[in-house]
Amino acid sequence: MLFRSKFFVFDDVLTQQEHEDLYAHLKTVKWTSQWSSTTGRGDGKYQHAWHWNYTFYRSMQNMPAITEEEYQRMIAEHPPVDALWKKVSALVTEYVGKHDILRLYSNCNPYGTNAYVHKDDGDYTGVYYPATHWDTEWEGGTCFYEEDENLNLDAIRYVSYKPNRLVIFPAQIPHRGMPVDRACTDPRYVIAMKLQRNVNDPDYVKEYYNA
């Protein structure tokens, strides 16, 4: 099954200073409210999900990967993102091969908002939890599902929200960000990275012919 393919959870991804700088930066960007979110598992439909969004690089799906020039423009405006991507890129390359950014954005879910079960574009997705403080009882992690031939879902894994944690998983695994508990006093921030396999990577050619 797809879920049994490569799936990784990494803690303490950034240094303390990098982590604090990134979280502080999220407090300075101009968020868009009532952001539209996919409603299903690849049906292409959207509706308001009531959460907040900030796009670092591209909101449209199924577009070409970021160029070096575009990346430099992005990090000139958002320097703390550079440290995150360098760490993520190194981990992704080590465990599943070299990938490029298709989309990179942040969502903010305060209490009372929720996300829909969906699949992502690209080959792999990285989800980073940037909060500097989080009470486990606040929930707000990410739930993953298996899907049968009739499109019925079965929740089979839950990754808790933990500050400075990164989750890497195949983009076609159905998943959703879970709502926070009523006792939660902070917004649920996540940074999502939609990634595409770099076909110019020599290891990709080996994988292709050995598949």
Side-chain angles (χ1 to χ4, degrees):
M1 295 182 180
L2 180 61
F3 189 84
R4 310 205 190 288
S5 57
K6 297 179 179 179
F7 185 108
F8 305 94
V9 178
F10 302 97
D11 289 332
D12 302 319
V13 173
L14 299 179
T15 67
Q16 180 178 344
Q17 189 61 59
E18 290 169 341
H19 182 198
E20 291 175 354
D21 289 347
L22 180 58
Y23 187 62
H25 185 70
L26 290 177
K27 302 292 187 71
T28 69
V29 300
K30 187 176 181 180
W31 295 85
T32 300
S33 64
Q34 301 181 32
W35 190 252
S36 296
S37 178
T38 51
T39 62
R41 284 97 68 187
D43 59 8
K45 297 179 181 178
Y46 291 80
Q47 73 179 46
H48 288 316
W50 302 110
H51 65 275
W52 296 68
N53 173 275
Y54 182 81
T55 299
F56 295 105
Y57 176 73
R58 190 180 286 146
S59 59
M60 295 180 63
Q61 296 188 16
N62 302 312
M63 298 290 286
I66 194 170
T67 65
E68 179 62 25
E69 181 180 356
E70 290 170 328
Y71 181 79
Q72 292 302 323
R73 286 202 301 266
M74 178 184 70
I75 63 172
E77 185 176 358
H78 308 288
V81 174
D82 187 40
L84 176 63
W85 173 243
K86 285 178 178 176
K87 297 291 179 65
V88 173
S89 179
L91 289 168
V92 169
T93 299
E94 179 179 356
Y95 287 92
V96 295
K98 183 175 175 60
H99 283 64
D100 298 318
I101 299 170
L102 289 177
R103 298 191 289 143
L104 197 159
Y105 59 87
S106 183
N107 286 332
C108 173
N109 291 79
Y111 171 73
T113 61
N114 65 287
Y116 301 99
V117 177
H118 63 283
K119 298 176 183 177
D120 292 332
D121 52 317
D123 297 312
Y124 269 81
T125 296
V127 172
Y128 176 74
Y129 302 139
T132 53
H133 167 72
W134 196 262
D135 190 322
T136 304
E137 294 183 357
W138 291 349
E139 298 294 344
T142 306
C143 191
F144 298 87
Y145 303 83
E146 281 189 337
E147 184 179 64
D148 66 19
E149 63 274 11
N150 296 316
L151 303 183
N152 297 312
L153 295 173
D154 184 17
I156 55 173
R157 183 163 185 172
Y158 176 81
V159 177
S160 298
Y161 192 114
K162 182 179 179 181
N164 206 13
R165 167 174 281 179
L166 171 70
V167 189
I168 298 171
F169 56 92
Q172 289 301 298
I173 294 180
H175 61 281
R176 67 180 293 218
M178 300 301 287
V180 299
D181 187 82
R182 185 174 183 176
C184 181
T185 57
D186 292 342
R188 175 191 184 272
Y189 292 107
V190 300
I191 295 177
M193 294 153 278
K194 309 303 170 67
L195 309 176
Q196 182 181 66
R197 189 70 167 94
N198 185 313
V199 297
N200 295 316
D201 178 15
D203 288 337
Y204 174 79
V205 177
K206 298 176 185 176
E207 294 168 8
Y208 181 83
Y209 284 103
N210 292 330

